[in-house]
Amino acid sequence: MAGGILPEQLSPANMESIAELAPLSLLEAANPGKPTVILQVKVKPRAKSSELTQAADGTWVANLKAPPVDGKANAELISLVAKAFNCRKDAVTIKAGAGGRTKLVAIAD
């Protein structure tokens, strides 16, 4: 993604409130003073249990109990990401792929 900042390029000032989060796939400095974490997530709906894990390539895999019907899986994904990153649900948005299995999820600080 153009305009992205890799975690190793961040200064401590940029990471104040998100330093304790799980490893990041990509940081995008779209809004100065308000960094946004962008995660690439592969969603697997109708799983036995809900969990969010990071793959070796830096992407994330979300196993969701909810079916991909009427936005139920997307709502569960937002809740799962908010819980995993210890943030509010309204700080998590699906930026791309809302109707597909691969999504870009943004976490605003």
Side-chain angles (χ1 to χ4, degrees):
M1 275 190 157
I5 300 172
L6 297 175
E8 56 270 7
Q9 296 172 318
L10 294 172
S11 69
N14 292 343
M15 292 293 291
E16 289 174 9
S17 61
I18 55 176
E20 283 81 23
L21 298 179
L24 308 176
S25 297
L26 182 67
L27 269 185
E28 186 177 273
N31 299 322
K34 292 190 176 187
T36 301
V37 178
I38 305 291
L39 305 173
Q40 182 177 350
V41 183
K42 182 176 181 182
V43 176
K44 296 180 180 179
R46 293 189 175 126
K48 290 184 180 184
S49 63
S50 295
E51 64 181 1
L52 182 67
T53 56
Q54 189 173 25
D57 64 357
T59 62
W60 293 83
V61 177
N63 293 317
L64 305 173
K65 287 175 113 176
V69 178
D70 297 329
K72 290 179 183 178
N74 286 342
E76 185 177 342
L77 175 64
I78 289 171
S79 296
L80 190 62
V81 169
K83 183 178 178 183
F85 285 85
N86 197 27
C87 64
R88 298 180 329 270
K89 284 193 248 182
D90 64 355
V92 180
T93 56
I94 298 174
K95 291 295 188 185
R101 299 247 174 150
T102 302
K103 303 175 188 300
L104 291 180
V105 178
I107 306 170
D109 185 38

Coordinates of all heavy atoms in Angstrom, one line a residue:
M1 N 0.8 -1.2 0.0 CA 0.0 0.0 0.0 C 0.9 1.2 0.0 O 1.8 1.3 0.8 CB -0.9 0.0 1.2 CG -2.1 -0.7 1.1 SD -3.1 -0.3 2.6 CE -4.6 -0.7 1.9
A2 N 0.5 2.2 -0.8 CA 1.3 3.4 -0.9 C 1.0 4.2 0.4 O -0.1 4.3 0.9 CB 0.9 4.2 -2.1
G3 N 2.0 4.9 0.8 CA 1.8 5.8 2.0 C 1.9 5.1 3.3 O 1.7 5.7 4.3
G4 N 2.2 3.8 3.3 CA 2.2 3.0 4.5 C 3.6 3.1 5.2 O 4.6 3.5 4.6
I5 N 3.6 2.9 6.5 CA 4.8 2.9 7.3 C 4.9 1.6 7.9 O 4.0 1.1 8.6 CB 4.8 4.0 8.4 CG1 4.6 5.4 7.7 CG2 6.0 4.0 9.2 CD1 4.4 6.5 8.7
L6 N 6.1 0.9 7.8 CA 6.3 -0.4 8.4 C 6.6 -0.2 9.9 O 7.1 0.9 10.3 CB 7.4 -1.1 7.7 CG 7.2 -1.5 6.2 CD1 8.4 -2.1 5.6 CD2 6.0 -2.4 6.1
P7 N 6.3 -1.1 10.7 CA 6.5 -1.0 12.1 C 7.9 -0.6 12.5 O 8.2 0.2 13.4 CB 6.2 -2.4 12.7 CG 5.2 -2.9 11.7 CD 5.6 -2.4 10.4
E8 N 8.9 -1.2 11.8 CA 10.3 -0.8 12.1 C 10.7 0.6 11.8 O 11.7 1.1 12.2 CB 11.3 -1.8 11.5 CG 11.2 -1.9 10.0 CD 10.2 -3.0 9.6 OE1 9.5 -3.6 10.4 OE2 10.1 -3.3 8.4
Q9 N 9.8 1.3 11.0 CA 10.1 2.7 10.6 C 9.5 3.7 11.6 O 9.6 4.9 11.4 CB 9.6 3.0 9.2 CG 10.3 2.2 8.2 CD 9.6 2.3 6.8 OE1 8.4 2.3 6.7 NE2 10.4 2.4 5.8
L10 N 8.7 3.2 12.5 CA 8.0 4.1 13.4 C 8.9 4.7 14.5 O 9.8 4.0 15.0 CB 6.8 3.4 14.1 CG 5.8 3.0 13.1 CD1 4.8 2.1 13.9 CD2 5.1 4.2 12.6
S11 N 8.6 5.9 14.9 CA 9.3 6.5 16.0 C 8.5 6.3 17.3 O 7.3 6.1 17.2 CB 9.5 8.0 15.8 OG 8.3 8.7 15.8
P12 N 9.1 6.4 18.4 CA 8.3 6.2 19.7 C 7.2 7.1 19.8 O 6.1 6.8 20.4 CB 9.4 6.4 20.8 CG 10.7 6.1 20.1 CD 10.5 6.5 18.7
A13 N 7.3 8.3 19.3 CA 6.2 9.3 19.4 C 5.0 8.9 18.6 O 3.9 9.1 19.0 CB 6.7 10.7 18.8
N14 N 5.2 8.2 17.5 CA 4.1 7.7 16.7 C 3.4 6.5 17.4 O 2.2 6.2 17.1 CB 4.5 7.3 15.3 CG 5.0 8.4 14.5 OD1 4.7 9.5 14.8 ND2 5.7 8.1 13.4
M15 N 4.1 5.8 18.2 CA 3.6 4.5 18.8 C 3.1 4.7 20.2 O 2.8 3.7 20.9 CB 4.7 3.5 18.7 CG 5.1 3.0 17.3 SD 3.7 2.2 16.5 CE 3.7 0.7 17.5
E16 N 2.9 5.9 20.7 CA 2.5 6.1 22.1 C 1.4 5.2 22.6 O 1.6 4.4 23.5 CB 2.1 7.5 22.3 CG 3.2 8.5 22.3 CD 2.6 9.9 22.3 OE1 1.4 10.1 22.6 OE2 3.3 10.8 22.1
S17 N 0.3 5.2 21.9 CA -0.9 4.5 22.4 C -1.1 3.1 21.8 O -2.0 2.4 22.3 CB -2.1 5.4 22.2 OG -2.3 5.6 20.9
I18 N -0.3 2.8 20.8 CA -0.5 1.5 20.2 C 0.7 0.6 20.4 O 0.8 -0.5 19.8 CB -0.9 1.6 18.7 CG1 0.2 2.4 18.0 CG2 -2.3 2.2 18.6 CD1 -0.1 2.5 16.5
A19 N 1.6 0.9 21.3 CA 2.8 0.2 21.4 C 2.6 -1.2 22.0 O 3.3 -2.2 21.7 CB 3.8 0.9 22.3
E20 N 1.6 -1.4 22.8 CA 1.3 -2.7 23.4 C 0.4 -3.6 22.5 O 0.1 -4.7 22.9 CB 0.6 -2.5 24.8 CG 1.6 -2.1 25.8 CD 1.9 -0.6 25.8 OE1 1.0 0.2 25.3 OE2 2.9 -0.2 26.3
L21 N 0.0 -3.2 21.4 CA -0.8 -4.0 20.5 C 0.0 -5.1 19.9 O 1.2 -5.2 19.9 CB -1.4 -3.1 19.3 CG -2.3 -2.0 19.7 CD1 -2.7 -1.2 18.5 CD2 -3.5 -2.5 20.5
A22 N -0.7 -6.1 19.4 CA -0.1 -7.3 18.7 C 0.7 -6.7 17.5 O 0.5 -5.6 17.1 CB -1.2 -8.2 18.2
P23 N 1.6 -7.6 17.0 CA 2.4 -7.1 15.9 C 1.5 -6.6 14.7 O 0.5 -7.1 14.5 CB 3.1 -8.4 15.4 CG 3.2 -9.2 16.7 CD 1.9 -8.9 17.4
L24 N 2.0 -5.6 14.1 CA 1.2 -4.9 13.1 C 1.6 -5.3 11.7 O 2.8 -5.5 11.4 CB 1.5 -3.4 13.2 CG 1.3 -2.8 14.6 CD1 1.6 -1.3 14.6 CD2 -0.1 -3.0 15.0
S25 N 0.6 -5.4 10.8 CA 0.9 -5.7 9.4 C 1.4 -4.4 8.7 O 2.3 -4.4 7.9 CB -0.4 -6.2 8.7 OG -0.8 -7.4 9.3
L26 N 0.7 -3.3 9.0 CA 1.0 -2.1 8.3 C 0.5 -0.9 9.0 O -0.6 -1.0 9.6 CB 0.4 -2.1 6.9 CG 0.6 -1.0 5.9 CD1 2.1 -0.9 5.5 CD2 -0.2 -1.1 4.7
L27 N 1.2 0.2 9.1 CA 0.7 1.4 9.7 C 0.6 2.5 8.6 O 1.5 2.6 7.8 CB 1.6 1.9 10.8 CG 1.4 1.5 12.2 CD1 2.3 2.2 13.2 CD2 0.0 1.7 12.6
E28 N -0.5 3.1 8.6 CA -0.7 4.1 7.6 C -0.9 5.5 8.3 O -1.8 5.6 9.1 CB -2.0 3.8 6.8 CG -2.2 4.7 5.6 CD -3.4 4.3 4.8 OE1 -3.2 3.5 3.9 OE2 -4.5 4.8 5.1
A29 N -0.1 6.5 8.0 CA -0.2 7.8 8.6 C -1.0 8.7 7.8 O -0.6 9.7 7.3 CB 1.2 8.3 8.8
A30 N -2.3 8.4 7.7 CA -3.2 9.1 6.9 C -3.6 10.4 7.6 O -3.8 11.5 6.9 CB -4.5 8.3 6.5
N31 N -3.8 10.4 8.9 CA -4.1 11.5 9.7 C -3.0 11.8 10.6 O -2.8 11.1 11.6 CB -5.4 11.3 10.4 CG -6.6 11.0 9.5 OD1 -6.7 11.6 8.5 ND2 -7.5 10.1 9.9
P32 N -2.3 12.9 10.4 CA -1.2 13.3 11.4 C -1.7 13.3 12.8 O -2.8 13.9 13.1 CB -0.7 14.6 10.9 CG -1.2 14.7 9.5 CD -2.4 13.9 9.4
G33 N -1.0 12.7 13.7 CA -1.4 12.7 15.1 C -2.4 11.6 15.4 O -2.7 11.3 16.6
K34 N -3.0 11.0 14.4 CA -4.0 9.9 14.6 C -3.6 8.7 13.7 O -4.2 8.5 12.7 CB -5.4 10.3 14.3 CG -5.9 11.4 15.2 CD -7.4 11.6 15.0 CE -7.9 12.5 16.0 NZ -9.4 12.7 15.9
P35 N -2.6 7.9 14.1 CA -2.2 6.8 13.3 C -3.3 5.8 13.2 O -4.1 5.6 14.1 CB -1.0 6.2 14.0 CG -1.0 6.8 15.4 CD -1.9 8.0 15.4
T36 N -3.3 5.1 12.1 CA -4.3 4.1 11.8 C -3.6 2.8 11.5 O -2.7 2.7 10.7 CB -5.2 4.4 10.6 OG1 -5.9 5.7 10.9 CG2 -6.3 3.4 10.3
V37 N -4.0 1.7 12.1 CA -3.4 0.4 11.9 C -4.3 -0.3 10.8 O -5.5 -0.3 10.9 CB -3.4 -0.5 13.2 CG1 -2.9 -1.9 12.9 CG2 -2.7 0.2 14.3
I38 N -3.7 -0.8 9.8 CA -4.4 -1.5 8.7 C -4.0 -2.9 8.7 O -2.8 -3.2 8.6 CB -4.1 -0.9 7.3 CG1 -4.3 0.6 7.3 CG2 -4.8 -1.6 6.2 CD1 -5.8 1.0 7.3
L39 N -4.9 -3.8 8.9 CA -4.7 -5.2 8.9 C -5.3 -5.9 7.7 O -6.4 -5.6 7.3 CB -5.3 -5.9 10.1 CG -5.0 -5.3 11.5 CD1 -5.8 -6.0 12.6 CD2 -3.5 -5.5 11.8
Q40 N -4.6 -6.8 7.1 CA -5.2 -7.6 6.0 C -5.6 -8.9 6.7 O -4.8 -9.6 7.3 CB -4.1 -7.9 4.9 CG -4.8 -8.7 3.8 CD -3.8 -9.0 2.7 OE1 -2.7 -8.4 2.6 NE2 -4.2 -9.9 1.8
V41 N -6.9 -9.2 6.6 CA -7.5 -10.3 7.4 C -8.2 -11.2 6.4 O -9.0 -10.8 5.6 CB -8.6 -9.8 8.4 CG1 -9.1 -10.9 9.2 CG2 -8.0 -8.7 9.3
K42 N -7.9 -12.5 6.5 CA -8.6 -13.6 5.8 C -9.6 -14.1 6.7 O -9.3 -14.6 7.8 CB -7.6 -14.6 5.3 CG -8.4 -15.7 4.5 CD -7.4 -16.7 3.9 CE -8.2 -17.7 3.1 NZ -7.3 -18.8 2.6
V43 N -10.9 -14.1 6.3 CA -12.0 -14.5 7.2 C -12.5 -15.9 6.8 O -12.6 -16.2 5.6 CB -13.2 -13.4 7.0 CG1 -14.4 -13.9 7.8 CG2 -12.7 -12.1 7.5
K44 N -12.7 -16.7 7.8 CA -13.2 -18.0 7.7 C -14.5 -18.1 8.5 O -14.5 -18.4 9.7 CB -12.2 -19.1 8.1 CG -11.0 -19.1 7.3 CD -10.0 -20.1 7.7 CE -8.7 -20.1 6.8 NZ -7.8 -21.1 7.3
P45 N -15.7 -17.9 7.9 CA -16.9 -17.9 8.6 C -17.4 -19.3 8.9 O -16.8 -20.3 8.4 CB -17.9 -17.2 7.7 CG -17.3 -17.4 6.3 CD -15.9 -17.5 6.5
R46 N -18.3 -19.4 9.8 CA -18.9 -20.7 10.3 C -17.9 -21.6 10.9 O -17.9 -22.9 10.7 CB -19.6 -21.4 9.1 CG -20.9 -20.7 8.7 CD -21.7 -21.5 7.7 NE -22.9 -20.8 7.4 CZ -23.4 -20.5 6.2 NH1 -22.7 -20.9 5.2 NH2 -24.5 -19.9 6.0
A47 N -16.9 -21.1 11.6 CA -15.9 -21.9 12.3 C -16.5 -22.4 13.6 O -17.5 -21.9 14.1 CB -14.7 -21.0 12.5
K48 N -15.8 -23.4 14.2 CA -16.3 -23.9 15.5 C -16.1 -22.9 16.6 O -16.9 -22.9 17.6 CB -15.5 -25.2 15.8 CG -15.9 -26.3 14.9 CD -15.2 -27.6 15.4 CE -15.6 -28.7 14.4 NZ -15.0 -30.0 14.9
S49 N -15.1 -22.1 16.6 CA -14.8 -21.1 17.6 C -14.3 -19.8 16.9 O -13.7 -19.9 15.8 CB -13.9 -21.6 18.6 OG -12.6 -21.8 18.1
S50 N -14.5 -18.7 17.6 CA -14.0 -17.4 17.0 C -12.6 -17.1 17.6 O -12.4 -17.1 18.8 CB -14.9 -16.3 17.4 OG -16.2 -16.5 16.8
E51 N -11.7 -16.8 16.7 CA -10.3 -16.4 17.1 C -9.6 -15.6 16.0 O -10.0 -15.8 14.8 CB -9.5 -17.7 17.5 CG -9.2 -18.6 16.3 CD -8.4 -19.8 16.8 OE1 -8.1 -20.0 17.9 OE2 -8.2 -20.7 15.9
L52 N -8.7 -14.8 16.4 CA -7.9 -14.0 15.5 C -6.4 -14.3 15.7 O -5.9 -14.2 16.8 CB -8.1 -12.5 15.8 CG -7.4 -11.5 14.9 CD1 -8.0 -11.6 13.5 CD2 -7.6 -10.1 15.4
T53 N -5.8 -14.8 14.7 CA -4.4 -15.2 14.7 C -3.6 -14.5 13.6 O -4.1 -14.2 12.6 CB -4.2 -16.7 14.7 OG1 -4.8 -17.2 13.5 CG2 -4.8 -17.4 15.9
Q54 N -2.3 -14.3 13.8 CA -1.5 -13.7 12.8 C -0.7 -14.8 12.1 O -0.1 -15.7 12.7 CB -0.5 -12.7 13.4 CG 0.2 -11.9 12.3 CD 1.1 -10.8 12.8 OE1 1.5 -10.8 14.0 NE2 1.3 -9.8 12.0
A55 N -0.7 -14.8 10.8 CA 0.0 -15.8 10.0 C 1.5 -15.4 9.9 O 1.9 -14.2 10.2 CB -0.6 -15.9 8.6
A56 N 2.3 -16.3 9.4 CA 3.8 -16.0 9.3 C 4.1 -14.9 8.4 O 5.1 -14.2 8.5 CB 4.5 -17.3 8.9
D57 N 3.2 -14.6 7.3 CA 3.5 -13.6 6.4 C 3.0 -12.2 6.8 O 3.1 -11.2 6.1 CB 2.9 -13.9 5.0 CG 1.4 -14.0 5.1 OD1 0.8 -13.9 6.1 OD2 0.8 -14.2 4.0
G58 N 2.5 -12.1 8.1 CA 2.1 -10.8 8.6 C 0.6 -10.5 8.4 O 0.1 -9.6 9.0
T59 N -0.1 -11.3 7.7 CA -1.5 -11.2 7.5 C -2.2 -11.8 8.7 O -1.6 -12.5 9.5 CB -2.1 -11.8 6.2 OG1 -1.8 -13.2 6.2 CG2 -1.4 -11.2 5.0
W60 N -3.5 -11.6 8.8 CA -4.3 -12.1 10.0 C -5.3 -13.1 9.5 O -5.8 -13.0 8.4 CB -4.9 -11.0 10.7 CG -3.9 -10.1 11.4 CD1 -3.2 -9.1 10.8 CD2 -3.5 -10.2 12.7 NE1 -2.4 -8.5 11.7 CE2 -2.5 -9.1 12.9 CE3 -3.8 -11.0 13.8 CZ2 -1.9 -8.9 14.2 CZ3 -3.2 -10.8 15.0 CH2 -2.3 -9.8 15.2
V61 N -5.7 -14.1 10.3 CA -6.7 -15.0 10.0 C -7.7 -15.0 11.1 O -7.4 -15.1 12.3 CB -6.1 -16.5 9.9 CG1 -7.3 -17.5 9.6 CG2 -5.1 -16.6 8.8
A62 N -9.0 -14.7 10.7 CA -10.1 -14.6 11.6 C -11.0 -15.8 11.4 O -11.7 -15.9 10.3 CB -10.8 -13.3 11.5
N63 N -11.1 -16.7 12.4 CA -12.1 -17.8 12.3 C -13.3 -17.2 13.1 O -13.2 -16.8 14.2 CB -11.6 -19.0 13.0 CG -10.4 -19.6 12.3 OD1 -10.5 -19.7 11.1 ND2 -9.4 -20.1 13.0
L64 N -14.5 -17.2 12.4 CA -15.7 -16.6 13.0 C -16.8 -17.6 13.1 O -17.0 -18.4 12.1 CB -16.1 -15.4 12.1 CG -15.1 -14.3 11.8 CD1 -15.7 -13.3 10.8 CD2 -14.7 -13.7 13.1
K65 N -17.5 -17.7 14.2 CA -18.6 -18.6 14.3 C -19.8 -18.1 13.5 O -20.6 -18.9 13.0 CB -19.1 -18.6 15.8 CG -18.1 -19.3 16.7 CD -18.6 -19.2 18.1 CE -19.1 -20.6 18.6 NZ -19.4 -20.5 20.1
A66 N -19.9 -16.8 13.2 CA -21.1 -16.3 12.5 C -21.1 -16.7 11.0 O -20.0 -16.8 10.4 CB -21.1 -14.8 12.7
P67 N -22.2 -16.8 10.5 CA -22.3 -17.1 9.0 C -22.2 -15.8 8.2 O -22.4 -14.7 8.8 CB -23.7 -17.7 8.8 CG -24.5 -17.1 9.9 CD -23.6 -16.9 11.1
P68 N -21.7 -15.9 7.0 CA -21.6 -14.6 6.2 C -22.9 -14.2 5.6 O -23.1 -14.0 4.4 CB -20.6 -15.1 5.1 CG -20.9 -16.5 4.9 CD -21.3 -17.0 6.3
V69 N -23.9 -13.9 6.5 CA -25.3 -13.5 6.1 C -25.7 -12.3 6.8 O -25.5 -12.2 8.0 CB -26.3 -14.7 6.4 CG1 -27.7 -14.3 6.1 CG2 -25.9 -16.0 5.7
D70 N -26.2 -11.3 6.1 CA -26.7 -10.1 6.7 C -25.7 -9.3 7.5 O -26.0 -8.7 8.5 CB -28.0 -10.4 7.6 CG -29.1 -10.9 6.8 OD1 -29.2 -10.6 5.6 OD2 -29.9 -11.7 7.3
G71 N -24.4 -9.4 7.2 CA -23.4 -8.7 7.9 C -23.0 -9.3 9.2 O -22.3 -8.6 10.0
K72 N -23.5 -10.4 9.6 CA -23.2 -11.0 10.9 C -21.7 -11.3 11.0 O -21.2 -11.1 12.1 CB -24.0 -12.3 11.1 CG -25.5 -12.0 11.3 CD -26.3 -13.3 11.5 CE -27.8 -13.0 11.6 NZ -28.6 -14.2 11.7
A73 N -21.1 -11.9 10.0 CA -19.7 -12.2 10.1 C -18.8 -10.9 10.2 O -17.9 -10.8 11.0 CB -19.2 -13.0 8.9
N74 N -19.2 -9.9 9.5 CA -18.5 -8.6 9.6 C -18.6 -8.0 10.9 O -17.7 -7.5 11.5 CB -19.0 -7.6 8.5 CG -18.5 -8.0 7.1 OD1 -17.6 -8.7 6.9 ND2 -19.2 -7.4 6.1
A75 N -19.8 -8.0 11.5 CA -20.0 -7.5 12.9 C -19.2 -8.3 13.9 O -18.6 -7.7 14.8 CB -21.5 -7.6 13.2
E76 N -19.1 -9.6 13.7 CA -18.3 -10.4 14.7 C -16.8 -10.1 14.5 O -16.1 -10.1 15.4 CB -18.6 -11.9 14.5 CG -17.9 -12.8 15.5 CD -18.2 -14.2 15.4 OE1 -19.2 -14.6 14.7 OE2 -17.4 -15.0 15.9
L77 N -16.4 -9.9 13.2 CA -15.0 -9.6 12.9 C -14.6 -8.3 13.6 O -13.6 -8.2 14.3 CB -14.8 -9.4 11.4 CG -13.4 -9.0 11.0 CD1 -12.3 -10.0 11.5 CD2 -13.3 -8.7 9.5
I78 N -15.5 -7.3 13.5 CA -15.2 -6.0 14.2 C -15.1 -6.2 15.7 O -14.2 -5.6 16.3 CB -16.3 -4.9 13.8 CG1 -16.1 -4.5 12.4 CG2 -16.3 -3.7 14.7 CD1 -17.2 -3.7 11.8
S79 N -16.0 -6.9 16.3 CA -15.9 -7.2 17.7 C -14.7 -7.9 18.1 O -14.0 -7.6 19.1 CB -17.2 -8.0 18.2 OG -18.3 -7.3 18.0
L80 N -14.3 -8.9 17.3 CA -13.1 -9.7 17.6 C -11.8 -8.9 17.5 O -11.0 -9.0 18.4 CB -13.1 -10.9 16.6 CG -12.0 -12.0 16.9 CD1 -12.3 -12.7 18.2 CD2 -12.1 -13.0 15.7
V81 N -11.7 -8.1 16.5 CA -10.6 -7.2 16.3 C -10.5 -6.2 17.5 O -9.4 -6.0 18.0 CB -10.6 -6.5 15.0 CG1 -9.5 -5.4 14.9 CG2 -10.4 -7.5 13.8
A82 N -11.6 -5.6 17.8 CA -11.6 -4.6 18.9 C -11.2 -5.3 20.2 O -10.4 -4.7 21.0 CB -13.0 -4.0 19.1
K83 N -11.6 -6.5 20.5 CA -11.3 -7.2 21.7 C -9.8 -7.5 21.7 O -9.1 -7.3 22.7 CB -12.1 -8.5 21.9 CG -11.8 -9.2 23.1 CD -12.7 -10.4 23.2 CE -12.4 -11.2 24.5 NZ -13.2 -12.4 24.6
A84 N -9.3 -8.0 20.5 CA -7.9 -8.4 20.4 C -6.9 -7.3 20.6 O -5.8 -7.4 21.1 CB -7.6 -9.1 19.1
F85 N -7.3 -6.1 20.1 CA -6.5 -4.9 20.1 C -6.8 -3.9 21.2 O -6.3 -2.8 21.3 CB -6.5 -4.2 18.7 CG -5.7 -4.9 17.7 CD1 -6.2 -6.0 17.0 CD2 -4.4 -4.6 17.5 CE1 -5.5 -6.7 16.0 CE2 -3.6 -5.3 16.5 CZ -4.2 -6.3 15.8
N86 N -7.8 -4.4 22.1 CA -8.1 -3.6 23.3 C -8.5 -2.2 22.9 O -8.0 -1.2 23.4 CB -7.0 -3.6 24.3 CG -7.5 -3.2 25.6 OD1 -8.6 -3.3 26.0 ND2 -6.6 -2.6 26.4
C87 N -9.5 -2.1 22.0 CA -10.0 -0.8 21.6 C -11.5 -0.8 21.4 O -12.1 -1.9 21.6 CB -9.4 -0.3 20.2 SG -9.8 -1.3 18.8
R88 N -12.1 0.3 21.2 CA -13.6 0.4 21.0 C -14.0 -0.2 19.7 O -13.2 -0.1 18.7 CB -14.0 1.8 21.1 CG -13.8 2.5 22.5 CD -14.2 4.0 22.5 NE -14.2 4.6 21.2 CZ -13.2 5.3 20.8 NH1 -12.1 5.4 21.5 NH2 -13.2 6.0 19.6
K89 N -15.2 -0.7 19.6 CA -15.7 -1.2 18.3 C -15.8 -0.1 17.3 O -15.6 -0.4 16.1 CB -17.0 -1.9 18.5 CG -16.9 -3.3 19.2 CD -18.2 -4.0 19.0 CE -18.8 -4.2 20.4 NZ -20.1 -5.0 20.4
D90 N -16.2 1.1 17.7 CA -16.3 2.1 16.7 C -15.0 2.6 16.2 O -15.0 3.4 15.2 CB -17.2 3.3 17.3 CG -16.5 4.0 18.5 OD1 -15.4 3.6 18.9 OD2 -17.1 5.0 18.9
A91 N -13.9 2.2 16.7 CA -12.6 2.5 16.2 C -12.1 1.5 15.1 O -11.2 1.8 14.4 CB -11.5 2.5 17.3
V92 N -12.9 0.5 14.9 CA -12.6 -0.6 13.9 C -13.5 -0.5 12.7 O -14.8 -0.4 12.9 CB -12.7 -2.0 14.5 CG1 -12.3 -3.0 13.5 CG2 -11.8 -2.1 15.8
T93 N -13.0 -0.4 11.5 CA -13.8 -0.3 10.3 C -13.3 -1.3 9.3 O -12.1 -1.5 9.2 CB -13.9 1.1 9.7 OG1 -12.6 1.6 9.5 CG2 -14.6 2.1 10.7
I94 N -14.1 -1.8 8.4 CA -13.7 -2.6 7.3 C -13.6 -1.6 6.1 O -14.6 -1.1 5.6 CB -14.7 -3.7 7.0 CG1 -14.8 -4.6 8.2 CG2 -14.3 -4.5 5.7 CD1 -15.9 -5.7 8.1
K95 N -12.4 -1.4 5.7 CA -12.1 -0.4 4.6 C -12.3 -1.0 3.2 O -12.6 -0.3 2.3 CB -10.6 0.1 4.7 CG -10.4 1.0 5.9 CD -11.2 2.2 5.7 CE -10.9 3.2 6.8 NZ -11.8 4.4 6.8
A96 N -12.0 -2.3 3.1 CA -12.2 -3.0 1.8 C -12.5 -4.4 2.0 O -12.1 -5.0 3.0 CB -10.9 -2.8 0.9
G97 N -13.3 -5.0 1.1 CA -13.6 -6.4 1.1 C -14.7 -6.8 2.0 O -14.8 -8.0 2.4
A98 N -15.7 -5.9 2.2 CA -16.8 -6.2 3.1 C -17.6 -7.4 2.6 O -18.2 -8.1 3.4 CB -17.7 -5.0 3.3
G99 N -17.6 -7.6 1.3 CA -18.4 -8.7 0.8 C -17.6 -10.0 0.4 O -18.1 -10.9 -0.1
G100 N -16.3 -9.9 0.7 CA -15.4 -11.0 0.4 C -14.7 -11.6 1.6 O -15.0 -11.3 2.7
R101 N -13.8 -12.6 1.3 CA -13.2 -13.3 2.4 C -11.9 -12.6 2.9 O -11.4 -12.8 4.0 CB -12.9 -14.7 2.0 CG -14.1 -15.5 1.7 CD -14.4 -16.6 2.6 NE -15.7 -17.2 2.4 CZ -15.9 -18.5 2.6 NH1 -15.0 -19.2 3.1 NH2 -17.1 -18.9 2.4
T102 N -11.3 -11.8 2.0 CA -10.1 -11.1 2.3 C -10.5 -9.6 2.5 O -11.0 -9.0 1.6 CB -9.0 -11.2 1.3 OG1 -8.7 -12.6 1.1 CG2 -7.7 -10.5 1.7
K103 N -10.2 -9.1 3.7 CA -10.6 -7.7 4.1 C -9.4 -6.9 4.5 O -8.4 -7.4 5.0 CB -11.6 -7.8 5.2 CG -12.8 -8.7 4.8 CD -13.8 -8.8 6.0 CE -14.9 -9.8 5.7 NZ -15.8 -9.5 4.7
L104 N -9.6 -5.6 4.4 CA -8.6 -4.6 5.0 C -9.4 -4.0 6.1 O -10.5 -3.4 5.9 CB -8.2 -3.6 4.0 CG -7.2 -4.1 2.9 CD1 -6.8 -2.9 2.0 CD2 -6.0 -4.7 3.5
V105 N -8.9 -4.2 7.3 CA -9.5 -3.6 8.5 C -8.7 -2.5 9.1 O -7.5 -2.7 9.3 CB -9.7 -4.8 9.5 CG1 -10.4 -4.3 10.8 CG2 -10.6 -5.9 9.0
A106 N -9.3 -1.4 9.4 CA -8.6 -0.3 9.9 C -8.9 -0.1 11.4 O -10.1 -0.2 11.8 CB -8.9 1.0 9.2
I107 N -7.9 0.2 12.2 CA -8.1 0.5 13.6 C -7.6 1.9 13.9 O -6.4 2.1 13.8 CB -7.3 -0.5 14.5 CG1 -7.7 -2.0 14.2 CG2 -7.6 -0.2 16.0 CD1 -6.8 -3.0 14.8
A108 N -8.5 2.8 14.1 CA -8.1 4.2 14.4 C -7.7 4.3 15.8 O -8.2 3.7 16.7 CB -9.3 5.1 14.1
D109 N -6.7 5.2 16.1 CA -6.2 5.4 17.4 C -7.0 6.5 18.0 O -7.3 7.5 17.5 CB -4.7 5.7 17.4 CG -4.1 5.9 18.7 OD1 -4.5 5.1 19.6 OD2 -3.3 6.8 18.9

